[in-house]
Amino acid sequence: MKHARLSLVTLLMLGLPATAQTVTVDTVADVIDISAATATVADLPGPDGLVSLSEAMIATNNTPGHQTVAFAIPASQLGWCCPQYNGIAVFHSSVGFYWRANDEVTIDGTTQTAFAGDTNPNGNEILIYSKTFYLNVGNSTLRGFHGSSIQAGGANTLIEQNTGSMNITLFGGGGSVLQQNECGTIKIDRSNDNVVVGNTAQRVRVLGGGGTQLATGNRIGGPAPGDRNIPTGYGSYNSEGIPSGHAIQLFYTQGTVIQNNWIGTADGLTIGNLACTIGISIETQNDDVLIQDNLISGIYGLGIGPHYPGTVWGRSMLVSGNGSGLTITGNVIGADINGDPTLGGAWGLDFGDPVTHPLSMTDIVVSDNEIA
């Protein structure tokens, strides 16, 4: 999916000055010929006349204020490293140390599309290869990347409009928004009050740091149609052909809302990942969790191989662990969007097992769910 460049109205909505400095990366080579300690935006480009991604981050980190990093990689450098990345600006480095934001910034990969056109029909045109790009401060934005790994550690971060099975982690901080991304995994790790809406992912994980450090106030989905996330399911098979995996997982959380998502199905009609065995897994300690108005289907967990061909292992929801306050209401479980029981798993709601998944949670309310 493609998106236009930032308009003046968008800049103002994000609280950015319309005259904010823009640094344009125009080479995929990770060359640094400026001072990493002192160079600012005014020192770009260096002696070679080009601006690498490392140089852009060094300069914006050393320059006060909120800058934008844009991209204008020439066609001759697209897909330079691998045939499978034809049409993509691939940033490949054995170091990549400076691929991190330590000062407020907007990293806008959609500018490459505006510069060179839609050269990647499968998504966006900027890819970080084999490294993680770090947003270490808050009030920053990253958009328009493809198939990369992103970790944000600040507050009030916006990560949006990325494609190609991105892996996105919020580690610490809080108050961030993840929206309209195509993801592998979204992980909210010891981070509070974040909003995850409009994403298509394999799985979403929310985890705190233990009983004394709960991840609080996170929302996955919401009441509006555009809030819906589609976690299709993550899973793998062991050597015996037994599947194992989840679509949504909660560990050590408080006040989590999971609302209006399609879980275990990409389109509401067909099964998602056949190796995914649990739609929503609630584990360890979780307090005041609301699971409302979701379509929880397609959780088959289908066995393969000579030992378990066709064996169904799936649970639409597994509740275990401890805590207080769990409300499960208004969900459609095991049926598709037409109400037909075509996508159900082996179990619908599974409230623990005294041996494998002990449950001691109190104040559980289950109401007004449709279970096929």
Side-chain angles (χ1 to χ4, degrees):
M1 57 186 173
K2 303 298 182 181
H3 305 275
R5 299 180 69 175
L6 285 175
S7 67
L8 174 60
V9 173
T10 303
L11 287 168
L12 294 175
M13 289 177 63
L14 291 173
L16 308 183
T19 57
Q21 297 163 295
T22 296
V23 174
T24 300
V25 177
D26 54 9
T27 178
V28 296
D30 193 39
V31 174
I32 302 173
D33 60 359
I34 60 174
S35 168
T38 62
T40 66
V41 170
D43 297 309
L44 297 176
D48 66 358
L50 299 172
V51 178
S52 68
L53 180 56
S54 288
E55 290 175 325
M57 298 316 303
I58 289 169
T60 57
N61 286 335
N62 290 337
T63 304
H66 191 123
Q67 289 83 39
T68 293
V69 174
F71 297 86
I73 305 300
S76 61
Q77 294 187 25
L78 300 181
W80 65 274
C81 70
C82 317
Q84 67 267 34
Y85 298 133
N86 185 38
I88 302 175
V90 181
F91 290 86
H92 185 291
S93 171
S94 60
V95 182
F97 176 79
Y98 294 103
W99 295 351
R100 57 194 69 208
N102 298 322
D103 190 40
E104 293 182 15
V105 68
T106 292
I107 315 290
D108 192 356
T110 68
T111 54
Q112 176 63 28
T113 309
F115 171 77
D118 183 5
T119 57
N120 175 27
N122 297 314
N124 296 319
E125 280 72 34
I126 298 296
L127 186 148
I128 303 295
Y129 182 84
S130 77
K131 300 291 182 181
T132 298
F133 192 97
Y134 293 92
L135 293 171
N136 294 329
V137 294
N139 300 311
S140 294
T141 295
L142 185 142
R143 66 167 62 86
F145 278 44
H146 181 79
S148 305
S149 178
I150 307 299
Q151 180 170 308
N156 304 316
T157 296
L158 174 63
I159 300 177
E160 64 176 359
Q161 301 171 5
N162 299 289
T163 61
S165 297
M166 298 279 292
N167 287 317
I168 302 173
T169 299
L170 299 180
F171 184 82
S176 294
V177 175
L178 275 58
Q179 64 182 14
Q180 301 172 18
N181 299 287
E182 297 174 8
C183 312
T185 295
I186 293 174
K187 182 166 70 171
I188 300 174
D189 188 348
R190 284 163 278 184
S191 186
N192 305 326
D193 303 316
N194 302 291
V195 175
V196 179
V197 291
N199 303 281
T200 298
Q202 290 182 320
R203 63 177 171 177
V204 180
R205 308 179 73 204
V206 184
L207 57 152
T212 60
Q213 191 182 14
L214 301 179
T216 65
N218 293 292
R219 173 162 64 88
I220 303 168
D227 294 338
R228 175 177 298 131
N229 298 288
I230 304 178
T232 57
Y234 173 89
S236 60
Y237 291 93
N238 68 10
S239 60
E240 297 293 318
I242 299 174
S244 178
H246 310 76
I248 296 178
Q249 289 177 285
L250 303 184
F251 305 84
Y252 295 113
T253 76
Q254 183 176 39
T256 305
V257 175
I258 302 173
Q259 184 177 18
N260 190 33
N261 304 286
W262 287 358
I263 300 169
T265 174
D267 56 9
L269 294 170
T270 55
I271 298 168
N273 186 349
L274 291 175
C276 179
T277 52
I278 302 175
I280 300 176
S281 182
I282 299 174
E283 309 171 38
T284 64
Q285 178 182 339
N286 295 277
D287 299 315
D288 303 320
V289 176
L290 174 63
I291 301 174
Q292 182 178 20
D293 299 335
N294 300 281
L295 177 72
I296 310 173
S297 301
I299 310 300
Y300 267 92
L302 199 64
I304 61 172
H307 302 296
Y308 299 99
T311 303
V312 177
W313 301 81
R315 297 172 170 90
S316 292
M317 190 184 307
L318 174 63
V319 180
S320 62
N322 58 58
S324 176
L326 168 63
T327 300
I328 303 170
T329 184
N331 302 282
V332 176
I333 300 170
D336 62 27
I337 56 175
N338 295 323
D340 297 325
T342 59
L343 302 179
W347 295 275
L349 301 179
D350 188 348
F351 289 93
D353 178 275
V355 176
T356 60
H357 298 93
L359 174 65
S360 58
M361 181 179 288
T362 60
D363 297 325
I364 298 175
V365 177
V366 180
S367 65
D368 300 320
N369 300 286
E370 177 184 335
I371 303 177

